[in-house]
Amino acid sequence: MRHRIAILAAAAVLPLTGVASLAAAGSAAADPNKATVTVTGRVSDCENDTSPVSVTITTSKESQTDDSKTVASDNRYSVTFKNIARKGRDAEATVTCKDDSYKDNFRIMRPADTSTTFTRNIEP
Protein backbone atom coordinates (compact mmCIF):
# COMPACT_ATOMS: atom_id res chain seq x y z
CA MET A 1 0.00 0.00 0.00
CA ARG A 2 2.81 2.43 0.87
CA HIS A 3 4.45 1.60 -2.42
CA ARG A 4 1.28 2.57 -4.33
CA ILE A 5 0.98 5.85 -2.42
CA ALA A 6 4.62 6.69 -3.23
CA ILE A 7 4.03 5.98 -6.93
CA LEU A 8 0.82 8.06 -6.96
CA ALA A 9 2.58 10.93 -5.18
CA ALA A 10 5.44 10.84 -7.69
CA ALA A 11 2.98 10.72 -10.57
CA ALA A 12 1.18 13.77 -9.19
CA VAL A 13 4.37 15.80 -8.67
CA LEU A 14 6.18 15.07 -11.97
CA PRO A 15 3.80 17.08 -14.20
CA LEU A 16 4.17 20.05 -11.86
CA THR A 17 7.97 20.01 -12.16
CA GLY A 18 7.62 19.93 -15.95
CA VAL A 19 5.39 23.00 -15.88
CA ALA A 20 7.85 24.78 -13.59
CA SER A 21 10.69 23.94 -15.97
CA LEU A 22 8.76 25.28 -18.96
CA ALA A 23 7.85 28.44 -17.08
CA ALA A 24 11.48 29.03 -16.16
CA ALA A 25 12.61 28.44 -19.75
CA GLY A 26 9.93 30.79 -21.09
CA SER A 27 10.97 33.61 -18.79
CA ALA A 28 14.63 33.49 -19.81
CA ALA A 29 15.07 36.68 -21.83
CA ALA A 30 17.65 39.28 -22.71
CA ASP A 31 18.84 41.56 -19.94
CA PRO A 32 17.79 45.14 -20.79
CA ASN A 33 20.66 46.40 -18.61
CA LYS A 34 23.29 45.00 -20.97
CA ALA A 35 24.79 47.27 -23.60
CA THR A 36 24.47 44.75 -26.46
CA VAL A 37 21.99 45.73 -29.18
CA THR A 38 21.46 44.17 -32.60
CA VAL A 39 20.46 46.73 -35.21
CA THR A 40 18.53 45.23 -38.10
CA GLY A 41 16.23 46.31 -40.89
CA ARG A 42 15.70 46.84 -44.57
CA VAL A 43 18.04 48.83 -46.75
CA SER A 44 17.02 50.60 -49.98
CA ASP A 45 18.87 50.58 -53.28
CA CYS A 46 21.10 53.52 -54.09
CA GLU A 47 19.81 56.38 -56.23
CA ASN A 48 21.55 54.92 -59.31
CA ASP A 49 19.28 51.84 -58.91
CA THR A 50 22.09 49.51 -57.87
CA SER A 51 21.69 47.08 -54.99
CA PRO A 52 23.57 47.67 -51.77
CA VAL A 53 26.65 45.52 -51.16
CA SER A 54 27.36 46.60 -47.58
CA VAL A 55 25.97 48.54 -44.65
CA THR A 56 28.37 50.08 -42.13
CA ILE A 57 27.02 51.67 -38.96
CA THR A 58 29.38 53.78 -36.88
CA THR A 59 28.93 55.19 -33.38
CA SER A 60 31.39 57.12 -31.23
CA LYS A 61 32.46 53.82 -29.61
CA GLU A 62 32.41 51.21 -32.39
CA SER A 63 31.74 50.43 -36.03
CA GLN A 64 30.03 47.35 -37.47
CA THR A 65 29.65 46.23 -41.10
CA ASP A 66 27.30 43.76 -42.74
CA ASP A 67 28.59 42.79 -46.17
CA SER A 68 26.82 39.45 -46.30
CA LYS A 69 24.91 38.19 -49.33
CA THR A 70 21.66 39.02 -47.53
CA VAL A 71 22.36 42.73 -48.00
CA ALA A 72 22.48 42.44 -51.79
CA SER A 73 19.94 39.66 -52.32
CA ASP A 74 17.23 40.54 -49.78
CA ASN A 75 18.01 44.19 -48.98
CA ARG A 76 18.28 43.30 -45.26
CA TYR A 77 21.11 43.93 -42.82
CA SER A 78 21.99 43.04 -39.25
CA VAL A 79 24.88 44.19 -37.05
CA THR A 80 25.50 43.80 -33.32
CA PHE A 81 26.88 46.50 -31.07
CA LYS A 82 28.36 45.77 -27.64
CA ASN A 83 28.52 49.29 -26.22
CA ILE A 84 25.17 51.09 -26.45
CA ALA A 85 24.56 53.45 -23.53
CA ARG A 86 21.29 53.38 -21.55
CA LYS A 87 20.25 56.64 -23.18
CA GLY A 88 21.22 55.38 -26.64
CA ARG A 89 24.02 56.36 -28.96
CA ASP A 90 24.10 58.48 -32.15
CA ALA A 91 24.96 56.50 -35.25
CA GLU A 92 25.71 57.04 -38.92
CA ALA A 93 24.86 54.35 -41.46
CA THR A 94 26.73 54.23 -44.76
CA VAL A 95 25.14 52.13 -47.47
CA THR A 96 27.57 51.22 -50.23
CA CYS A 97 26.44 50.13 -53.70
CA LYS A 98 28.49 49.35 -56.80
CA ASP A 99 29.11 52.96 -57.91
CA ASP A 100 27.19 54.92 -55.34
CA SER A 101 26.55 55.29 -51.60
CA TYR A 102 24.37 57.19 -49.18
CA LYS A 103 24.27 57.97 -45.47
CA ASP A 104 21.59 58.04 -42.78
CA ASN A 105 21.93 59.43 -39.26
CA PHE A 106 19.87 58.10 -36.37
CA ARG A 107 20.07 57.13 -32.69
CA ILE A 108 20.44 53.52 -31.60
CA MET A 109 18.31 52.94 -28.53
CA ARG A 110 18.19 49.99 -26.16
CA PRO A 111 14.75 48.45 -26.57
CA ALA A 112 12.46 49.11 -23.59
CA ASP A 113 11.36 45.49 -23.28
CA THR A 114 13.59 42.46 -22.90
CA SER A 115 14.46 42.36 -26.60
CA THR A 116 17.97 43.26 -27.74
CA THR A 117 16.91 44.10 -31.31
CA PHE A 118 16.54 47.67 -32.58
CA THR A 119 14.93 47.96 -36.02
CA ARG A 120 15.92 50.75 -38.39
CA ASN A 121 15.13 50.81 -42.10
CA ILE A 122 17.71 52.78 -44.08
CA GLU A 123 16.96 54.73 -47.23
CA PRO A 124 18.49 57.64 -49.14
Side-chain angles (χ1 to χ4, degrees):
M1 183 70 163
R2 287 185 199 163
H3 187 62
R4 285 185 191 164
I5 293 173
I7 290 173
L8 289 174
V13 171
L14 284 176
L16 297 176
T17 59
V19 169
S21 296
L22 287 175
S27 65
D31 182 354
N33 295 320
K34 294 204 175 179
T36 300
V37 176
T38 298
V39 181
T40 186
R42 294 185 117 334
V43 57
S44 296
D45 290 347
C46 286
E47 291 184 356
N48 67 359
D49 291 327
T50 57
S51 295
V53 293
S54 70
V55 175
T56 300
I57 300 178
T58 304
T59 70
S60 61
K61 298 288 184 183
E62 56 189 316
S63 181
Q64 300 294 333
T65 298
D66 184 349
D67 56 2
S68 66
K69 291 181 182 180
T70 308
V71 173
S73 63
D74 296 339
N75 285 54
R76 293 192 170 278
Y77 75 95
S78 180
V79 292
T80 300
F81 289 88
K82 305 276 188 210
N83 198 0
I84 300 300
R86 286 185 191 276
K87 294 180 181 179
R89 196 168 301 284
D90 291 333
E92 180 179 73
T94 303
V95 177
T96 305
C97 302
K98 184 177 180 186
D99 294 319
D100 200 2
S101 67
Y102 64 89
K103 295 182 184 291
D104 184 27
N105 293 300
F106 60 97
R107 188 165 185 83
I108 299 172
M109 299 298 295
R110 285 191 199 172
D113 57 11
T114 56
S115 170
T116 58
T117 303
F118 177 82
T119 301
R120 173 67 182 205
N121 295 328
I122 303 172
E123 45 190 44

